[in-house]
Structures are given as C-alpha cells and as structure tokens.
C-alpha cells in the first residue's frame, strides 16, 4: 500500500502545480505552528496527563528530582531494589540516570507538574532549530524545519511527559 500511495502522490504532484508560499507568509505559518505545538503539549500536560507519569522512567526522574530538592543523592531504603531503573550507590538507592533531567524537573515538582519546564525549553528548541537551519541553509528551509519539528507527534507528546527527550533535543539544538 505504501508504494502505491507514494506513486499516487508523485502522479498528483506532476499534475498540480502549487507555487511556494511567500517568505513572509511562511514565517507566520512557522510561528503559528510552533505556538499550536506548544499549546497542544501544554494541554496534554495539564489536562490529559495532569502531571502524572506514564512509564517507570518518569517515576525515577521524579524521585531523583525529589532527592535533589532534599539535598540528597540517594536513600537507604532496601525495598527500592525491586523497582526498575533503581541502583545501589555509596549514597544509597537512587535512579540509574544522570541528573540532567531531574535538574530540569526540580522547579516543576514544586508546582506539581514535573514536566512544566519542558514547555519553555521546547519553545526555545524550535527557535534554536530555526536559527541553526537559517545559518546553515536559508530562511525558507528554516521555516519548514520548524514546521516539521513542531508538528511531530513525538515532539508534542514527549514535551508533555517527564521524559528526557525534550531536554536532549534542546541540548542538541543548542549546539546547532
């Protein structure tokens, strides 16, 4: 089915000629799509997930952030050894992950939504993608890059969760 859809798309593309949008219109479209993506991620975070974790990894990030807020690196609770993604260290039982994502989640935990800082970092990520692509290619391609990244279901949905993908993508975009 996929090859047939691809060939059909090519055939229709040869029959219909569409002029590319004006750069001014494309800029507005990219900005609007970015706003829509962040608003959709915020809706999912605050009204669908309501700050609750979806998988065990999020629980581990949250517990590590709680430990950091308490000034600790680990707890002496042997029953934690049965939880996935928890390891024993000289400081006690803690999550197996580095502290990047827990550091991001610390402020969000204080307001009850650990992934709350993902929203501004996702917006900054889209801006950084725009700047990087504009520098490497041109402004038209930069606008299209923002549109495609912002419309990615993975971008929208992981921004709303307590997973590390949003922070990782931000760091990658930051180094451009």
């Amino acid at each position: 089915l996929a090859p047939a859809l691809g060939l059909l798309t090519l055939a229709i593309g040869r029959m219909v000629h569409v002029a590319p949008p004006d750069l001014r219109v494309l800029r507005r479209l990219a900005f609007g799509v970015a706003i829509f993506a962040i608003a959709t991620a915020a809706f999912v975070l605050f009204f669908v997930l309501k700050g609750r974790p979806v998988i065990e990894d999020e629980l581990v990030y949250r517990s590590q952030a709680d430990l950091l807020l308490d000034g600790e690196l680990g707890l002496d609770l042997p029953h934690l050894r049965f939880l996935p993604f928890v390891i024993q260290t000289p400081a006690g039982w803690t999550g197996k992950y580095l502290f990047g994502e827990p550091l991001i989640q610390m402020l969000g935990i204080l307001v009850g939504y650990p992934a709350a800082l993902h929203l501004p970092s996702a917006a900054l990520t889209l801006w950084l993608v725009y700047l990087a692509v504009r520098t490497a290619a041109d402004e038209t391609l930069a606008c299209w890059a923002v549109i495609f990244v912002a419309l990615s279901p993975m971008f929208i949905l992981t921004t709303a969760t307590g997973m590390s993908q949003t922070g990782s993508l931000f760091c990658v975009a930051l180094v451009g």
Side-chain angles (χ1 to χ4, degrees), residues 104-117:
I104 293 172
Q105 289 190 11
M106 284 173 58
L107 290 176
I109 284 178
L110 295 175
V111 296
Y113 293 93
L117 282 183

Side-chain angles (χ1 to χ4, degrees), residues 41-42 44-46 49-67 69 99-122 157-167:
V44 172
L45 170 64
F46 295 118
L49 297 177
K50 298 178 182 171
R52 293 180 302 234
V54 178
I55 60 174
E56 290 94 355
D57 298 287
E58 291 180 74
L59 290 172
V60 174
Y61 287 131
R62 185 177 293 185
S63 65
Q64 284 181 289
D66 281 331
L67 286 172
L69 283 170
F99 287 97
E101 181 62 26
L103 286 172
I104 293 172
Q105 289 190 11
M106 284 173 58
L107 290 176
I109 284 178
L110 295 175
V111 296
Y113 293 93
L117 282 183
H118 284 183
L119 298 171
S121 67
L157 295 176
T158 57
T159 296
T161 66
M163 296 299 295
S164 63
Q165 283 88 348
T166 303

Side-chain angles (χ1 to χ4, degrees), residues 6-144:
L7 291 173
L8 182 63
T9 302
L10 287 174
I12 291 172
R14 289 179 183 257
M15 290 187 284
V16 177
H17 297 286
V18 178
D22 179 45
L23 183 57
R24 209 169 24 125
V25 172
L26 193 57
R27 271 192 225 118
R28 288 184 183 148
L29 179 64
F31 183 74
V33 168
I35 295 296
F36 170 77
I38 300 302
T40 303
F43 177 79
V44 172
L45 170 64
F46 295 118
F47 298 107
V48 177
L49 297 177
K50 298 178 182 171
R52 293 180 302 234
V54 178
I55 60 174
E56 290 94 355
D57 298 287
E58 291 180 74
L59 290 172
V60 174
Y61 287 131
R62 185 177 293 185
S63 65
Q64 284 181 289
D66 281 331
L67 286 172
L68 290 175
L69 283 170
D70 292 339
E72 301 286 336
L73 293 178
L75 291 174
D76 189 23
L77 298 173
H79 68 275
L80 288 179
R81 70 178 176 268
F82 299 112
L83 295 176
F85 312 117
V86 175
I87 58 172
Q88 185 174 17
T89 66
W93 292 93
T94 189
K96 72 173 187 172
Y97 300 112
L98 297 175
F99 287 97
E101 181 62 26
L103 286 172
I104 293 172
Q105 289 190 11
M106 284 173 58
L107 290 176
I109 284 178
L110 295 175
V111 296
Y113 293 93
L117 282 183
H118 284 183
L119 298 171
S121 67
L124 284 172
T125 298
L126 292 174
W127 176 249
L128 292 170
V129 165
Y130 172 81
L131 293 176
V133 175
R134 188 183 71 183
T135 301
D138 66 353
E139 191 168 5
T140 301
L141 192 60
C143 290
W144 284 114

